[in-house]
Amino acid sequence: MPHLTRRGGAALAVACACLLAALFPVAAEAKGDVAFTISDSRITESSGLATDSGSGIYWTVNDSGAQGVAYGLSPEGKVKGTVTFQADVVDVEAVAFADGRLYLADIGDNKANRDFVTVYTFDQPAAGDQNRQYRSYDFSYPDGPHDAEALLVDPSGRLFLVTKGAKGGIYAAPAQPSRQETNRLTRVGDAPAFVTDGVFLPGGKAIALRGYLAVQVLDARSYQTTARAQLPSQPQGESITVDLDGQHLLVGSEGKNSTVLRVGIPDTMDTIPTAEASAPAQPPEGIVTPRSTTGADDPGQEGQPQSDNESDTEGRSRAGTWAVLGIAAVVALAAGGTVYLIDGLDHRGRIRRRRQK
């Protein structure tokens, strides 16, 4: 047996650790610049952001349990005014702004039992409007109720809802929806897991969809992912929009004094945490999969069963990181110890051979 020194054992241990690191890469924590903090005491569950470039403000809404109100925020995060309206909303989860029109999406359905969801629109809104008149449009899914938190509006004004689940979907509204009857949505593509908000990027050829851990850019026609990146850690990431200069993304979170971060628009297919397919840490409500039904537009995919007590994906992701490092350390120590033992046995063998001589 070749003689292996303790120094050689250490080298082998390091090599083993490097091999494990290559097999199980640990993603560096993503960073973002603070754009602003939403400190207004009325906004405790900001669930969505929309950019109103003409007025130089961002719109946001509180989600479930809130009344009909949207908040206009300055670039510093201060409330410049509100738009209020008289409607019996259920769970407003998204906001969008396009071509001078504000959209509020009452599309949350945690128990998957709503026969229809509703989108409210306001033409040329101004922060400070009270009891504003609105138009409302009701929509139903072709494959049963879904929980959703993302509303998209393309350059032509067509609406898209993105469902939230382990197997999400992108659903298109009719090009000219009716206000007199419930409009049937059409499933047009698959969505990443647990999408909490989305936005069309400048030019209208791509969509940015965010989950709790990452953002993915999809082609607006094929709905194929073309770029993706990990997002900075946030307590419960619920919103995304393009900033006023159109060059970056803003991502926000629920909670009091929530911070909105500025990040780059992904242009590469980066490695993102596998925990993206899991539910967030301590959400305000459980995620329930839709009832299993079939229809002409049903792709035949069934959701994964989930519990109301959702797991801590950020914790699991970090725990996984430490687990990989721990395994590498154990293997490295074991390798080093094995080599040390071999070296010791070989050394004693040489002593015995010398005595025999």
Side-chain angles (χ1 to χ4, degrees), residues 98-99 101 103 152-160 173-175 177:
D99 196 25
R101 180 173 293 175
Y103 301 79
L152 307 171
V153 184
D154 74 6
S156 72
R158 191 172 189 181
L159 307 183
F160 298 80

Side-chain angles (χ1 to χ4, degrees), residues 90-91 111 119 123 126 175 212 257 259 275 291 347 349:
V90 178
D91 187 0
K111 296 182 179 180
V119 175
D123 291 331
Y212 292 103
N257 297 312
T259 299
R291 294 194 295 267
H347 178 65

Side-chain angles (χ1 to χ4, degrees), residues 120-155:
Y120 299 91
T121 69
F122 306 83
D123 291 331
Q124 303 299 328
D129 288 349
Q130 302 294 318
N131 297 325
R132 178 64 189 266
Q133 296 297 311
Y134 59 84
R135 293 184 177 91
S136 63
Y137 303 86
D138 297 333
F139 301 97
S140 65
Y141 295 94
D143 48 358
H146 291 274
D147 187 28
E149 295 189 4
L151 169 70
L152 307 171
V153 184
D154 74 6

Side-chain angles (χ1 to χ4, degrees), residues 19-351:
L19 177 60
L20 275 174
L23 293 175
F24 303 99
V26 178
E29 184 175 355
K31 302 296 183 182
D33 298 326
V34 175
F36 56 84
T37 298
I38 304 175
S39 58
D40 193 286
S41 61
R42 294 170 292 178
I43 306 174
T44 59
E45 295 186 18
S46 175
S47 185
L49 283 170
T51 305
D52 182 349
S53 299
S55 300
I57 61 176
Y58 301 104
W59 294 98
T60 190
V61 291
N62 283 317
D63 68 5
S64 57
Q67 300 300 313
V69 56
Y71 298 88
L73 305 175
S74 71
E76 295 73 38
K78 304 296 183 183
V79 174
K80 296 185 67 175
T82 62
V83 169
T84 62
F85 60 104
Q86 299 297 319
D88 187 16
V89 298
V90 178
D91 187 0
V92 177
E93 289 283 356
V95 58
F97 191 91
D99 196 25
R101 180 173 293 175
L102 177 66
Y103 301 79
L104 300 185
D106 184 2
I107 56 177
D109 190 8
N110 294 295
K111 296 182 179 180
N113 60 6
R114 295 179 65 174
D115 293 331
F116 63 88
V117 295
T118 304
V119 175
Y120 299 91
T121 69
F122 306 83
D123 291 331
Q124 303 299 328
D129 288 349
Q130 302 294 318
N131 297 325
R132 178 64 189 266
Q133 296 297 311
Y134 59 84
R135 293 184 177 91
S136 63
Y137 303 86
D138 297 333
F139 301 97
S140 65
Y141 295 94
D143 48 358
H146 291 274
D147 187 28
E149 295 189 4
L151 169 70
L152 307 171
V153 184
D154 74 6
S156 72
R158 191 172 189 181
L159 307 183
F160 298 80
L161 302 185
V162 184
T163 59
K164 178 184 180 182
K167 293 183 178 179
I170 302 173
Y171 293 79
Q176 300 293 331
S178 170
R179 294 178 57 199
Q180 283 70 45
E181 58 186 23
T182 300
N183 299 275
R184 187 177 178 86
L185 298 167
T186 301
R187 181 168 178 140
V188 294
D190 295 333
F194 298 104
V195 170
T196 59
D197 201 8
V199 64
F200 267 88
L201 296 178
K205 295 182 179 180
I207 300 165
L209 298 178
R210 77 155 298 169
Y212 292 103
L213 303 178
V215 58
Q216 302 197 40
V217 175
L218 279 63
D219 181 271
R221 290 191 176 184
S222 67
Y223 306 108
Q224 297 299 307
T225 299
T226 60
R228 63 191 180 195
Q230 184 178 354
L231 286 174
S233 176
Q234 292 180 303
Q236 188 174 336
E238 291 279 343
S239 57
I240 189 171
T241 192
V242 179
D243 66 1
L244 290 171
D245 66 13
Q247 301 300 312
H248 299 84
L249 295 173
L250 298 183
V251 292
S253 177
E254 284 194 359
K256 296 180 179 179
N257 297 312
S258 61
T259 299
V260 175
L261 303 176
R262 181 182 290 105
V263 299
I265 299 174
D267 57 5
T268 59
M269 290 290 285
D270 294 346
T271 299
I272 60 176
T274 56
E276 180 65 11
S278 300
Q282 299 181 348
E285 60 271 332
I287 295 176
V288 180
T289 52
R291 294 194 295 267
S292 177
T293 60
T294 57
D297 298 304
D298 184 7
Q301 297 179 336
E302 295 182 0
Q304 299 290 337
Q306 303 150 44
S307 66
D308 288 339
N309 296 322
E310 296 168 334
S311 58
D312 187 345
T313 56
E314 182 181 342
R316 283 217 311 272
S317 178
R318 291 178 179 173
T321 297
W322 287 109
V324 169
L325 294 177
I327 292 171
V330 170
V331 172
L333 289 174
T338 300
V339 173
Y340 181 83
L341 178 61
I342 292 172
D343 182 40
L345 290 173
D346 186 53
H347 178 65
R348 288 194 293 272
R350 290 199 305 275
I351 292 175

